[in-house]
């Protein structure tokens, strides 16, 4: 690098603070992820929700938007952060060991009573360490989110963008007109602040804040093609790194055909935006909102997901009715094999690691780099 450029960089760092400008080779190259609770969705995302980004989960009613966000909260609380020395600078990194400081999550709920502590306990949320806010309007919600981000809260879930109402709209009588575009304008301002505060955290070596924005799908009047859209203006689409759209699929029933008992449903997802991975991947998972003797209430059937992924990636082979892993029989029939993997955590983790290793190897081959 030229000496005159180096001297200018030193002056900028002296005036604006260390780390204001750095060389590309000195940039931290960490890719931290938080699990969504779904094995297939995590793999399609590239390992889970990216840390320090805005992520949108949008969908129809009763499509498990909030459930996914609550799973992310539970998995976030299991992680720790610690300070390490990286290229002569102290930076915070994520770890799943017992060392370090637990991450803090917050839930800003604009839809009254959609979350309860009992429901959180079932999912695995530590309610004693969950910050909960129930703001009276949009301005209060974004101010709370900004204050929590500045304080260093690692995960903020906003439920939901579609439920945000401005103060002026609340003060206007029903039927009277009010200024349009207040919500998109306020959200656009919040998104700019969100990015600026995260840039400052990155510069100072602190772990940036992740925001999960829950949104709803609405239908445009008229128009052609896909008429669905998410409320809140276009700034969300430009700011978010990942957008996941979910919709309900088939019902899961137990009992007899004449007297079925509803215990869950299949949730279909599509990743409509992914700046840190491959977009437009889609899949599904089974969610149980009642205990039907298969998977506990408030859980995802990860074993069924893993079987489907292992078969599609060639990790598990099916020969007739038998299923094989590493040329060894592991079960007869899909239901029995799934139950075996569901109860054998060691086998579950071995197959999961084999799938991840296969995806990493395939990616390396595409780049001409094979790690054997």
């Amino acid at each position: 690098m030229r000496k005159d450029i180096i001297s200018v960089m030193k002056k900028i760092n002296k005036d604006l603070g260390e780390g204001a400008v750095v060389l590309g080779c000195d940039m931290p190259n960490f890719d931290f992820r938080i699990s969504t609770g779904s094995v297939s969705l995590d793999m399609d995302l590239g390992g889970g929700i990216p840390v320090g980004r805005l992520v949108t989960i949008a969908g129809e009613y009763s499509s498990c938007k909030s459930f996914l966000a609550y799973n992310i909260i539970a998995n976030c609380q299991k992680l720790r952060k610690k300070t390490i020395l990286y290229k002569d600078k102290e930076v915070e990194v994520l770890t799943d060991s017992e060392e370090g400081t637990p991450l803090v999550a917050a839930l800003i709920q604009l839809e009254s009573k959609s979350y309860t502590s009992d429901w959180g306990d079932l999912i695995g949320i530590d309610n004693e360490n969950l910050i909960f806010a129930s703001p009276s309007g949009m301005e209060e919600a974004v101010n709370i989110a900004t204050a929590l981000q500045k304080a260093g809260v690692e995960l903020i879930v906003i439920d939901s963008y579609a439920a945000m109402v401005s103060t002026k709209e609340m003060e206007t009588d029903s039927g009277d007109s009010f200024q349009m575009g207040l919500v998109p304008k306020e959200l656009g301002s919040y998104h700019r602040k969100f990015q600026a505060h995260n840039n400052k955290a990155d510069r100072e070596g602190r772990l940036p804040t992740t925001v999960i924005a829950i949104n709803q799908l609405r239908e445009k009047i008229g128009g052609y093609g896909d008429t669905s859209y998410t409320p809140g203006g276009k700034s969300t689409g430009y700011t978010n790194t990942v957008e996941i759209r979910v919709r309900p699929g088939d019902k899961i029933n137990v009992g007899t055909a004449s007297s079925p008992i509803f215990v869950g449903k299949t949730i279909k997802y599509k990743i409509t935006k992914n700046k840190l991975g491959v977009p437009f991947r889609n899949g599904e998972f089974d969610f149980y909102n009642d205990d039907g003797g298969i998977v506990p209430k408030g859980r995802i059937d990860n074993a069924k997901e893993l079987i489907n992924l292992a078969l599609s990636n060639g990790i598990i082979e099916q020969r007739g009715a038998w299923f094989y892993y590493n040329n060894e029989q592991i079960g007869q029939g899909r239901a029995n094999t799934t139950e075996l993997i569901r109860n054998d955590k060691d086998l579950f983790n071995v197959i999961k690691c084999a799938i991840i290793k296969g995806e990493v190897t395939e990616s390396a081959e595409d780049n001409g780099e094979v790690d054997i």
Side-chain angles (χ1 to χ4, degrees):
M1 181 63 69
R2 286 162 35 192
K3 291 183 179 179
D4 56 338
I5 301 297
I6 293 294
S7 64
V8 170
M9 291 177 62
K10 289 181 178 179
K11 185 179 185 306
I12 292 173
N13 286 329
K14 182 179 179 181
D15 294 341
L16 303 181
E18 193 63 33
V21 290
V22 296
L23 294 175
C25 59
D26 294 329
M27 292 175 57
N29 191 25
F30 301 118
D31 183 20
F32 300 124
R33 304 277 178 155
I34 304 174
S35 173
T36 62
S38 165
V39 175
S40 56
L41 180 54
D42 282 350
M43 292 187 179
D44 284 340
L45 287 170
I49 294 297
V51 169
R53 307 282 181 147
L54 173 67
V55 176
T56 301
I57 302 175
E60 306 171 11
Y61 57 87
S62 192
S63 58
C64 284
K65 304 182 296 295
S66 298
F67 170 74
L68 267 181
Y70 300 158
N71 264 283
I72 296 170
I73 290 176
N75 291 319
C76 173
Q77 291 178 327
K78 296 173 184 176
L79 298 174
R80 302 286 187 273
K81 68 177 181 181
K82 64 179 181 179
T83 303
I84 65 168
L85 195 63
Y86 178 81
K87 295 186 177 180
D88 299 328
K89 179 182 177 181
E90 289 188 344
V91 295
E92 291 180 343
V93 297
L94 277 187
T95 176
D96 55 2
S97 66
E98 294 299 324
E99 300 178 359
T101 307
L103 301 190
V104 178
L107 173 60
I108 300 175
Q109 186 182 83
L110 291 107
E111 299 183 9
S112 180
K113 304 299 182 183
S114 63
Y115 175 83
T116 63
S117 57
D118 291 340
W119 182 231
D121 288 336
L122 277 174
I123 296 173
I125 293 176
D126 181 5
N127 284 294
E128 292 185 0
N129 292 301
L130 173 68
I131 300 173
F132 182 83
S134 186
S136 59
M138 173 184 62
E139 292 85 356
E140 193 173 307
V142 297
N143 286 335
I144 291 172
T146 302
L148 292 175
Q149 182 183 6
K150 291 169 69 175
V153 173
E154 286 80 17
L155 176 67
I156 300 172
V157 174
I158 302 177
D159 188 6
S160 67
Y161 271 21
M164 284 188 170
V165 55
S166 66
T167 303
K168 289 185 178 180
E169 184 179 353
M170 291 183 65
E171 293 173 350
T172 304
D173 293 334
S174 298
D176 293 344
S177 61
F178 62 94
Q179 184 181 349
M180 301 297 292
L182 292 175
V183 172
K185 181 180 178 181
E186 186 69 32
L187 283 177
S189 174
Y190 167 64
H191 292 151
R192 291 189 293 272
K193 292 178 182 178
F194 164 75
Q195 291 176 315
H197 288 308
N198 269 359
N199 288 343
K200 184 179 180 182
D202 281 330
R203 182 194 299 184
E204 296 173 351
R206 295 183 287 110
L207 202 66
T209 299
T210 307
V211 170
I212 309 294
I214 301 175
N215 213 334
Q216 302 172 5
L217 288 182
R218 302 290 173 83
E219 295 292 327
K220 299 177 184 176
I221 299 176
Y224 299 93
D226 186 7
T227 59
S228 61
Y229 74 99
T230 52
K234 290 187 176 181
S235 69
T236 306
Y238 286 108
T239 308
N240 61 20
T241 298
V242 172
E243 180 176 332
I244 306 167
R245 294 201 175 186
V246 289
R247 61 184 178 89
D250 297 333
K251 295 179 180 179
I252 302 173
N253 296 319
V254 296
T256 62
S258 58
S259 301
I261 302 173
F262 174 75
V263 294
K265 54 192 170 185
T266 300
I267 302 299
K268 300 178 182 292
Y269 66 82
K270 182 177 182 180
I271 303 169
T272 55
K273 183 181 180 182
N274 190 0
K275 294 172 69 175
L276 299 180
V278 182
F280 304 115
R281 286 187 172 179
N282 56 73
E284 61 182 37
F285 56 85
D286 287 355
F287 158 69
Y288 286 78
N289 52 6
D290 203 354
D291 193 350
I294 303 173
V295 176
K297 180 179 179 180
R299 301 290 178 178
I300 295 173
D301 192 351
N302 291 141
K304 181 179 178 181
E305 289 183 279
L306 198 70
I307 284 285
N308 294 334
L309 286 168
L311 286 170
S312 62
N313 285 275
I315 305 298
I316 290 180
E317 293 182 87
Q318 183 177 2
R319 304 171 191 171
W322 287 93
F323 289 79
Y324 291 78
Y325 173 65
N326 280 345
N327 290 321
E328 294 184 5
Q329 287 183 351
I330 57 173
Q332 184 180 24
R334 183 182 288 260
N336 292 333
T337 307
T338 303
E339 186 64 23
L340 173 68
I341 293 176
R342 188 179 290 125
N343 296 324
D344 191 337
K345 296 300 180 184
D346 292 334
L347 180 59
F348 180 95
N349 291 327
V350 166
I351 295 175
K352 182 179 177 180
C353 289
I355 297 171
I356 295 173
K357 183 179 179 181
E359 290 192 349
V360 170
T361 303
E362 181 183 351
S363 175
E365 289 175 347
D366 291 341
N367 294 324
E369 302 170 359
V370 181
D371 185 14
I372 300 177

